[in-house]
Amino acid sequence: MTALEVFRQQKDRFFKADPHSPLLPQQKDAFEGLRYYPENPALRLEVTVEPFEEQTPVTLQTSTGDVAEYLRWGRFTFQVEGQPAALTVYLAYGGAGYFLPFMDATNGTETYDAGRYLEIEPLAGGRFLVDFNLAYNPYCAYNPYWSCPIPPPENRLAVPIRAGEMKPAGAWVEQAHL
């Protein structure tokens, strides 16, 4: 079993049983597991993020109409199936980590309509690990009571990112709206 498969099993257990799960009690009873793309090594990238000369505060709208504050930190470019792409990285206030909200060509059909998230890891030499196999749905994909930042226009890709979590499906999803 790969490290990614172990991670996914642990995440399913968290969703099913943990009191901090985003699922409502009636959803947990019917929960059968999250859906994922097969692991895609081509979308596990080491990139150089070019920090912006001025890292400006930004306000991202959320799924509930609230706002979330971040610093617009830097940008990186990469290739997906031979097509160029670029994404902006945000820094959570207080140095809580590098946040990468994004949308791609799979949204609404294969993946959650309002995009997915990824935390990226700094590596030595100014490089970062961007592993799209770890891309996940915001908690508002499972429970409408969560307030989730919506990826800004600069992070909406025309290319598909077929890695990470897929669109939730199953009877347990509809139970969030009962």
Side-chain angles (χ1 to χ4, degrees):
M1 183 172 292
T2 69
L4 182 62
E5 290 169 332
V6 170
F7 172 80
R8 289 174 173 180
Q9 284 182 347
Q10 291 170 340
K11 188 165 187 175
D12 281 350
R13 281 195 296 276
F14 167 80
F15 266 66
K16 178 79 172 169
D18 195 282
H20 297 101
S21 166
L23 301 184
L24 298 169
Q26 65 267 26
Q27 289 176 288
K28 288 181 180 182
D29 292 340
F31 180 72
E32 298 170 356
L34 300 174
R35 296 178 346 125
Y36 299 96
Y37 286 103
E39 188 167 0
N40 185 342
L43 289 171
R44 186 176 195 276
L45 312 170
E46 285 190 21
V47 302
T48 299
V49 177
E50 296 294 331
F52 294 124
E53 196 169 300
E54 185 177 334
Q55 294 161 353
T56 56
V58 295
T59 301
L60 301 181
Q61 290 295 312
T62 71
S63 58
T64 59
D66 293 328
V67 295
E69 303 288 330
Y70 293 90
L71 283 177
R72 191 171 173 269
W73 192 81
R75 193 156 176 85
F76 68 95
T77 59
F78 61 107
Q79 297 263 328
V80 179
E81 298 176 7
Q83 297 179 52
L87 289 168
T88 297
V89 175
Y90 299 86
L91 184 62
Y93 279 103
Y98 298 95
F99 178 55
L100 185 62
F102 70 96
M103 296 177 79
D104 65 272
T106 67
N107 292 123
T109 54
E110 299 172 34
T111 61
Y112 181 55
D113 302 20
R116 292 181 288 164
Y117 299 161
L118 190 58
E119 277 82 36
I120 65 171
E121 298 177 35
L123 302 169
R127 305 216 8 111
F128 284 79
L129 176 63
V130 177
D131 188 351
F132 286 105
N133 293 290
L134 299 174
Y136 62 94
N137 294 318
Y139 281 179
C140 54
Y142 310 107
N143 180 333
Y145 300 110
W146 284 87
S147 184
C148 306
I150 298 169
E154 68 184 345
N155 276 10
R156 297 179 185 177
L157 302 172
V159 296
I161 302 291
R162 289 192 172 93
E165 283 184 32
M166 297 177 75
K167 190 173 193 167
W172 63 273
V173 177
E174 286 77 40
Q175 292 175 347
H177 305 286
L178 297 178

